[in-house]
Amino acid sequence: MPALTCVDAAVPPPGYAFAWDGALPAPGAFPGDSSTTADGPTADLSSPWSTDLSAKLYRIDGWGAPYFCVNAAGDISVRPHGAATLPHQEIDLMKVVKKASDPKSAGGLGLRLPLLVRFTDVLKHRLESLQQAFDVAIRSNGYGSRYQGVYPVKCNQDRYLVEDIMEFGAPFNFGLEAGSKAELLLAMTCLTRARSEAFLICNGYKDEEYITLALIARSMDLNTVIVLEQEEELDTVVETGERLGVRPVIGLRAKLRTKHSGHFGSTSGEKGKFGLSTSQILSVAQKLQRLEMLDCLQLLHFHIGSQIPSTALLSDGVGEAAHIYCELARLGALMRVIDIGGGLGIDYDGSRSGGSDMSVGYGLDEYANAVVRAVMLACDRKLVDHPIICSESGRALVSHQSVLIFEAVSSTTTKCEPSSSICPNRACLLDELADDAHSDYHNLIAATLRREYETSVLYAEQLKQRCVDHFKDGILGLEHLAAVDVVCDLVAKEFDVADPVKTYHVNLSLFTSIPDFWAIGQLFPIVPIHRLDQRPVVKGILSDLTCDSDGKVDRFIGGQSSLPLHELETGGGAGGYYLGMFLGGAYQEALGGLHNLFGTPSVVRVSQADGPRCFAVTVAVPGASCTDVLRAMQHEPEVMFETLKQRAEECAGGDAVPCALAHAFDTMPYLVFDANGGYSVVSGGDEEGTDGMSSYSDGCSEEWESVRCLSV
């Protein structure tokens, strides 16, 4: 930056000196000063705050409806049955956290955070709502067939979740979709307990083993459809079917011309990753006809792309596919099913906008009606019977059912808070600056006294840079740099042009629990789950535990670069500060990695129940321990423990050290946060020790036994 011309320092009024203490007359309006509103931490502090204002600030009524709201206590409540939830059925998230994290001796489950909470009733309501939307659209339009969906297990392969979908979807013959051999084995096992009409859709690239497995499923009376992603897969299907004596049911994935322009549209269109072109579709049909197997071709599948933004685009794509379906029927294929794939989006930011990857401009009813109308129009024109409509709406089914809860354990500000305790001899240090820096300092104070904001900013930047250069040359010491920083921060605070953004350090790994934010910039609603009856007065960003500069959340829904937060409470009985990440039930668990060897969070499965808490925990699973994550990376925790134990004995560490090591292997890698404001070391039982490592002694045998059992 070019040097500024030195101007004469203004003569300060009585009481001011160039060894400035930060005292200035009350500031007026300055460039960058914004009027206060109720939309953020800069709101008028004299006005009352309410839970309704918090719901508006965090857009909870937008992205959260009809499952999440703010209750009278200022906590997030879950409405497990959607809009039909009665007041006494609402589940307070803070009560769930308390039940999960309290020690067993206090009636809790003794789980560590971060915590993933699954709400089975929300999942049930989502599935039933999707089915109802299609049922209503079919009846109102006079459609001649039915809707029969499948769940694509790639969205979330959790055992209990998939089993719940099978249970809740049984009345509707809801099936499963698999895209790999492991997913196919999972789906086959679950579908053995389902109705025979439920579909098993086999997508993805296939080799002979995959196709053999799918045909075995067909031989077990599972309603299996092998969807061809590539033309050459047909030969393998035919040959394997002849060898096994199983006649396959075949589907085709069409590569449509219709696509959308967002991030998720890259898998659609003529250059999409999957599917057959029109010429390849014709080639497959003709080959099946020559083999006298055209009756095996019964399903057409396509995928416009995830998060389809509008019903106009949806209708366009479904209409194109429906005409292909009709043409295959005209050619003699025994067509029965049109599988519209995924794409049913959810409103991550509450804007109900069709112009963003973070939202969609429709609801379930509008989506279903657009699909039914488009298929019906094409079939009626071609005089083709209406097919069964199948969808693979995984994101829309499972996103709402889980909430990730994590703690903010400390905070730092991007600007140092000026304090008289920092550089108490500031005046002397500033007098020792070199002439050019001293001149910048004088001009900075003069511009500040004249209330010239922009000039003050330029002089502050020039002063800082000049002093850093002098520091690198060995002319100035660390105390001089600190004195200059304090003066510049005082100037910035005096103008009050922007609130400093604080970094809240959270007990979480972004790469493990919210990988889509890092990988593709996907935004999820993140909200404090309590204290929403209080005004948030801090603008914050979130920094995770990993040793990675990308391990932070600095973009939020609504195009915001910071999140309104509350000051962290300190002192005895203050409690922790808990945040929730919502709408993350799809993909995040399967995609999460082990960066810095932070493993999966603890999990509780919650259902609505009668009683004072309104809920029951039906499943509780502790998060991955250090042993778990080490073994996942091919380490041998038992050998590691013996090696460390031997070294401790050689160093006369005593019995406490092996016990502490055993505990370390058995515990989660995340921090253990003491609600009083510090980090604690917790023993193997529910009670904390009182004297460091000796607190481990009672639980040593039990804890190491649990480590050893993990090798089985």
Side-chain angles (χ1 to χ4, degrees):
M1 182 179 69
L4 294 171
T5 304
C6 182
V7 300
D8 293 334
V11 178
Y16 289 84
F18 284 122
W20 186 50
D21 62 359
L24 283 177
F30 293 96
D33 186 25
S34 59
S35 59
T36 58
T37 69
D39 293 331
T42 58
D44 181 4
L45 297 180
S46 64
S47 64
W49 194 255
S50 69
T51 56
D52 289 339
L53 289 175
S54 284
K56 179 182 178 183
L57 175 64
Y58 295 107
R59 301 187 175 199
I60 296 172
D61 293 337
W63 56 260
Y67 301 109
F68 305 102
C69 63
V70 183
N71 62 28
D75 299 340
I76 294 285
S77 275
V78 180
R79 307 177 73 195
H81 311 299
T85 304
L86 300 175
H88 70 275
Q89 295 174 323
E90 292 185 0
I91 301 172
D92 190 319
L93 260 182
M94 279 300 294
K95 292 182 179 179
V96 176
V97 172
K98 179 175 175 59
K99 175 65 177 177
S101 61
D102 275 358
K104 294 179 181 177
S105 58
L109 300 173
L111 298 176
R112 302 274 182 85
L113 267 66
L115 176 71
L116 192 67
V117 186
R118 299 194 194 281
F119 293 95
T120 57
D121 298 297
V122 171
L123 177 63
K124 184 174 187 287
H125 187 269
R126 289 297 291 176
L127 193 152
E128 291 174 346
S129 297
L130 176 63
Q131 183 71 41
Q132 182 182 24
F134 273 99
D135 288 346
V136 170
I138 285 170
R139 287 197 304 269
S140 62
N141 288 285
Y143 190 78
S145 189
R146 67 181 188 274
Y147 169 76
Q148 188 176 324
V150 297
Y151 170 62
V153 297
K154 67 178 181 181
C155 289
N156 193 322
Q157 299 96 338
D158 177 77
R159 168 194 166 187
Y160 297 106
L161 185 145
V162 177
E163 290 178 352
D164 282 342
I165 289 175
M166 287 289 90
E167 177 186 347
F168 303 149
F172 317 117
N173 297 326
F174 219 81
L176 295 173
E177 179 270 347
S180 68
K181 298 172 193 176
E183 288 183 351
L184 181 52
L185 288 167
L186 183 161
M188 289 169 63
T189 305
C190 290
L191 285 167
T192 57
R193 299 185 292 273
R195 296 184 180 181
S196 59
E197 296 90 345
F199 290 127
L200 171 52
I201 305 294
C202 300
N203 287 331
Y205 294 126
K206 304 168 190 70
D207 60 6
E208 185 177 350
E209 288 183 352
Y210 185 127
I211 292 170
T212 298
L213 196 57
L215 291 171
I216 289 173
R218 185 76 189 168
S219 70
M220 296 165 59
D221 292 329
L222 299 180
N223 195 5
T224 309
V225 182
I226 301 175
V227 179
L228 304 182
E229 305 276 358
Q230 297 176 298
E231 185 178 0
E232 53 266 30
E233 291 174 353
L234 177 61
D235 293 336
T236 308
V237 171
V238 172
E239 293 168 4
T240 307
E242 290 176 350
R243 177 170 55 82
L244 296 177
V246 178
R247 193 167 179 82
V249 173
I250 296 173
L252 299 178
R253 176 164 179 167
K255 188 176 291 186
L256 302 184
R257 311 294 175 92
T258 304
K259 63 172 294 184
H260 72 78
S261 58
H263 168 81
F264 297 106
S266 60
T267 56
S268 62
E270 292 183 272
K271 297 182 179 179
K273 178 179 179 182
F274 302 106
L276 307 180
S277 65
T278 52
S279 60
Q280 290 173 321
I281 290 173
L282 276 175
S283 175
V284 168
Q286 292 166 357
K287 186 166 188 175
L288 286 172
Q289 189 173 36
R290 291 194 300 271
L291 294 170
E292 298 183 350
M293 293 179 65
L294 196 53
D295 61 309
C296 295
L297 180 55
Q298 300 182 16
L299 178 146
L300 179 73
H301 171 48
F302 66 95
H303 181 63
I304 301 173
S306 297
Q307 283 287 105
I308 297 173
S310 68
T311 54
L313 177 64
L314 174 67
S315 298
D316 192 24
V318 173
E320 179 187 349
H323 281 287
I324 297 175
Y325 175 94
C326 292
E327 288 299 298
L328 289 171
R330 181 182 63 81
L331 293 172
L334 192 63
M335 301 300 291
R336 296 176 51 246
V337 184
I338 184 166
D339 180 354
I340 65 175
L344 172 53
I346 60 172
D347 192 355
Y348 286 104
D349 64 10
S351 66
R352 197 176 170 86
S353 167
S356 166
D357 286 339
M358 306 305 162
S359 184
V360 292
Y362 54 83
L364 290 179
D365 294 338
E366 297 159 292
Y367 176 87
N369 198 55
V371 170
V372 170
R373 283 177 175 270
V375 175
M376 187 174 177
L377 179 62
C379 291
D380 288 350
R381 283 180 177 175
K382 298 289 182 70
L383 302 178
V384 172
D385 290 341
H386 298 166
I388 297 170
I389 296 175
C390 177
S391 76
E392 303 174 6
S393 305
R395 183 189 300 268
L397 276 181
V398 303
S399 290
H400 298 77
Q401 55 83 34
S402 71
V403 181
L404 178 69
I405 309 295
F406 52 96
E407 301 160 287
V409 296
S410 64
S411 67
T412 56
T413 182
T414 54
K415 296 186 80 66
C416 181
E417 186 68 22
S419 170
S420 58
S421 63
I422 301 176
C423 302
N425 58 337
R426 193 162 60 241
C428 296
L429 292 169
L430 293 170
D431 283 340
E432 295 173 0
L433 297 178
D435 290 344
D436 53 356
H438 202 268
S439 177
D440 289 335
Y441 166 61
H442 275 228
N443 288 317
L444 169 63
I445 301 305
T448 302
L449 295 175
R450 294 195 300 268
R451 319 301 295 169
E452 296 174 355
Y453 166 70
E454 293 182 356
T455 304
S456 297
V457 170
L458 291 174
Y459 277 122
E461 291 177 354
Q462 182 166 292
L463 173 61
K464 283 187 174 183
Q465 185 58 53
R466 204 185 298 273
C467 289
V468 167
D469 293 339
H470 291 171
F471 177 76
K472 293 177 180 178
D473 292 336
I475 300 173
L476 297 180
L478 192 61
E479 295 87 347
H480 297 93
L481 284 185
V484 169
D485 284 342
V486 168
V487 168
C488 293
D489 289 340
L490 284 168
V491 169
K493 184 179 181 182
E494 188 63 31
F495 282 105
D496 195 26
V497 294
D499 295 329
V501 175
K502 282 190 173 182
T503 298
Y504 277 57
H505 305 285
V506 294
N507 198 14
L508 185 75
S509 166
L510 179 72
F511 305 93
T512 298
S513 296
I514 322 178
D516 269 352
F517 175 84
W518 169 73
I520 62 173
Q522 176 68 51
L523 302 183
F524 298 92
I526 298 177
V527 180
I529 65 169
H530 61 138
R531 296 177 62 183
L532 295 175
D533 55 343
Q534 305 171 27
R535 182 191 308 276
V537 296
V538 177
K539 294 178 180 178
I541 62 173
L542 308 179
S543 177
D544 77 353
L545 296 179
T546 64
C547 301
D548 197 305
S549 59
D550 285 338
K552 62 181 179 180
V553 182
D554 54 3
R555 288 174 287 116
F556 303 89
I557 62 171
Q560 301 301 310
S561 58
S562 63
L563 182 68
L565 297 169
H566 305 84
E567 289 282 7
L568 298 183
E569 296 177 334
T570 57
Y577 188 55
Y578 299 99
L579 301 170
M581 189 272 281
F582 296 80
L583 307 186
Y587 297 108
Q588 303 316 294
E589 295 165 57
L591 293 175
L594 291 175
H595 190 28
N596 271 162
L597 295 186
F598 287 108
T600 55
S602 301
V603 180
V604 291
R605 183 171 174 264
V606 173
S607 60
Q608 189 267 319
D610 296 331
R613 285 196 300 260
C614 306
F615 69 90
V617 176
T618 58
V619 174
V621 181
S625 67
C626 291
T627 290
D628 296 329
V629 295
L630 286 166
R631 183 170 288 118
M633 301 304 292
Q634 311 305 315
H635 295 279
E636 300 180 25
E638 298 82 8
V639 176
M640 295 166 67
F641 173 77
E642 293 297 336
T643 301
L644 294 171
K645 179 182 177 183
Q646 181 178 351
R647 182 60 176 263
E649 292 171 349
E650 293 171 356
C651 296
D655 294 336
V657 173
C659 291
L661 289 171
H663 173 79
F665 278 102
D666 191 42
T667 193
M668 289 175 69
Y670 295 94
L671 302 181
V672 181
F673 180 63
D674 184 348
N676 292 327
Y679 303 96
S680 62
V681 178
V682 182
S683 68
D686 292 321
E687 304 300 326
E688 292 188 20
T690 57
D691 60 348
M693 287 190 299
S694 63
S695 66
Y696 292 106
S697 57
D698 293 338
C700 178
S701 299
E702 179 182 349
E703 286 177 348
W704 179 237
E705 183 61 28
S706 67
V707 175
R708 296 172 67 90
C709 287
L710 289 173
S711 64
V712 178

